[in-house]
Amino acid sequence: MNFENIKLGVAPINWTNDDMPELGGENTFEQCVSEMALAGFTGCEVGNKFPRDINVLRKALELRGLQICNQWNSYELTTKSFAENRKNFTGLLDFLEAMGAKVIGGGETGNSCQGRMDVPVLEGKGMLKTKEEWDSFTFGLNELGKIARDRGMKLAFHHHMGTCIQTIEETDRLLNETDPENVFLNYDCGHFHFAGENPVEALAKYIGRTAHIHLKDVRPDVLQRVHDERLSFLTAVKNGVFTVPGDPEGCIDFPSLFAIIKESDYHGWIVLEAEQDPAKANPLEYAIIARNFFRGLTGI
């Protein structure tokens, strides 16, 4: 299998959780990036403990053979003005451009329940209820994507549980109503499975519009608890709904996903992004499990 156009990265959310700082609060930035490198990854996304001084961050990463490949951006196009969104977006672009990244990610958090412990994720997701709301949202996203494109970067939008873009139907509409030169997808197999979609069919459908890939697995027994006990998204994460590719407790068909990638012209990063409670799932141990699994499927 030939994957010469693919680089393998990892997200710091496996070590420290931005939405729940108590998870991995004891893990330092230095431990996080050192263990990323030790596990065999060459790139990473940005977490809340990463220094924002570009020279300090660049030195720490270069010492470990790592580079920044993406960062989450919280779009709030449903609740804040376009001017506010543009200001936040361009500030993050400045940082990512200085770090050599080519992708800016993130999802719509403005009307999302993803960060709320008190709302069942399967009942309280964000919605775009009218054509006017859809038009406003896609217009803003398209304009931000054009700003990124003009700077040689790609906006890769992340469909996400609890948000207004969660299902294949919603993803279809988002992509159909934005310019394919401005807005791309940050595909995530775990979130599609969580949403009740087939992640293999989704990747086959969207690979041509995908600019960034997140891979995680799902523990079906915990997902069933989410349904039965009406759990919030963050409670589901704390209870272990996600795990890494290569964990026998997971259920996603990764060989089929990699077969689709292999047959496509996808160029870019595949990122391990399987948030768990580090006290229950040692981040280095699980990163190594995933890295070895990736190597077995791709030869890299």
Side-chain angles (χ1 to χ4, degrees):
M1 300 179 81
N2 192 350
F3 291 92
E4 75 273 11
N5 296 319
I6 305 300
K7 298 177 182 178
L8 295 179
V10 62
I13 199 169
N14 307 317
W15 281 262
T16 58
N17 194 296
D18 291 2
D19 294 320
M20 296 178 283
E22 69 274 16
L23 298 187
E26 70 283 0
N27 294 330
T28 66
F29 160 72
E30 290 80 7
Q31 176 188 346
C32 175
V33 291
S34 294
E35 292 186 353
M36 288 174 170
L38 184 60
F41 293 93
T42 58
C44 64
E45 297 187 350
V46 180
N48 61 355
K49 292 188 178 181
F50 278 45
R52 293 302 163 147
D53 183 306
I54 289 169
N55 292 326
V56 172
L57 179 56
R58 183 181 290 120
K59 180 178 180 180
L61 297 178
E62 287 177 351
L63 283 171
R64 296 163 174 85
L66 294 171
Q67 67 181 102
I68 298 297
C69 60
N70 178 30
Q71 181 175 345
W72 174 274
N73 178 64
S74 291
Y75 301 93
E76 297 183 65
L77 292 160
T78 57
T79 53
K80 292 185 178 180
S81 70
F82 178 74
E84 291 177 278
N85 278 277
R86 180 175 55 199
K87 180 180 179 181
N88 293 334
F89 185 79
T90 54
L92 182 53
L93 276 182
D94 291 341
F95 171 76
L96 290 172
E97 188 175 49
M99 294 306 302
K102 296 298 182 183
V103 169
I104 178 169
E108 174 61 34
T109 64
N111 64 356
S112 169
C113 74
Q114 71 185 72
R116 295 185 58 181
M117 283 285 194
D118 60 332
V119 178
V121 66
L122 298 175
E123 300 171 27
K125 71 180 290 298
M127 297 293 292
L128 296 169
K129 298 178 181 178
T130 66
K131 182 179 185 301
E132 290 71 24
E133 289 176 345
W134 269 100
D135 288 347
S136 176
F137 173 69
T138 55
F139 172 82
L141 198 62
N142 203 60
E143 290 298 301
L144 295 178
K146 186 177 185 302
I147 292 170
R149 186 186 73 180
D150 289 346
R151 295 178 61 167
M153 299 182 69
K154 290 182 176 180
L155 187 162
F157 188 86
H158 196 313
H159 58 98
H160 198 287
M161 289 302 299
T163 76
C164 58
I165 308 298
Q166 176 178 293
T167 65
I168 283 182
E169 180 181 6
E170 291 159 347
T171 304
D172 277 346
R173 186 165 179 178
L174 167 73
L175 296 178
N176 288 336
E177 296 185 13
T178 53
D179 189 329
E181 294 188 354
N182 293 343
V183 177
F184 298 84
L185 189 67
N186 183 160
Y187 168 88
D188 189 306
C189 59
H191 280 274
F192 271 134
H193 183 86
F194 200 142
E197 306 287 7
N198 184 317
V200 175
E201 292 178 3
L203 184 61
K205 186 172 191 176
Y206 300 129
I207 188 64
R209 191 83 178 265
T210 295
H212 200 65
I213 293 174
H214 283 170
L215 294 186
K216 58 169 70 76
D217 212 336
V218 174
R219 292 183 173 95
D221 58 328
V222 182
L223 182 57
Q224 187 60 50
R225 286 185 56 202
V226 175
H227 287 264
D228 295 343
E229 300 175 25
R230 304 175 62 239
L231 301 181
S232 70
F233 177 72
L234 296 183
T235 303
V237 170
K238 290 182 74 171
N239 280 276
V241 72
F242 293 131
T243 185
V244 299
D247 184 342
E249 295 183 355
C251 63
I252 291 177
D253 180 4
F254 288 100
S256 292
L257 293 179
F258 277 105
I260 292 168
I261 296 167
K262 178 181 180 292
E263 295 302 318
S264 74
D265 61 355
Y266 178 76
H267 291 58
W269 289 91
I270 292 176
V271 174
L272 166 65
E273 195 236 15
E275 58 266 44
Q276 301 186 81
D277 182 348
K280 300 176 182 177
N282 180 275
L284 176 59
E285 177 185 353
Y286 277 79
I288 290 173
I289 289 171
R291 184 65 185 87
N292 290 338
F293 184 70
F294 291 162
R295 184 178 294 111
L297 288 178
T298 66
I300 59 173

